[in-house]
Amino acid sequence: MPDQFDVSLEDSDLLGEVELTTNLIIAASETDEHLSAAEIDEILGVVPPAKA
């Protein structure tokens, strides 16, 4: 009989957020300056809106 409490917990959204946060922490630790909004957007993979 399988153990009903033996389940693998994996939240792909949470793992993605942890990866993004980790990337920001690493980038911030590698510079003496503040990261610009553009640099943060690039690290997070934010695509600028298309110009009309």
Side-chain angles (χ1 to χ4, degrees):
M1 174 178 208
D3 183 357
Q4 65 184 8
F5 296 110
D6 184 21
V7 295
S8 174
L9 297 177
E10 185 173 307
D11 183 334
S12 59
D13 291 336
L14 177 59
L15 291 174
E17 289 180 24
V18 168
E19 181 179 4
L20 291 173
T21 302
T22 302
N23 291 343
L24 283 173
I25 292 169
I26 291 168
S29 70
E30 292 177 343
T31 183
D32 293 331
E33 304 293 322
H34 291 284
L35 294 173
S36 68
E39 290 170 318
I40 293 170
D41 286 349
E42 182 179 345
I43 293 165
L44 296 178
V46 174
V47 179
K51 294 182 179 179

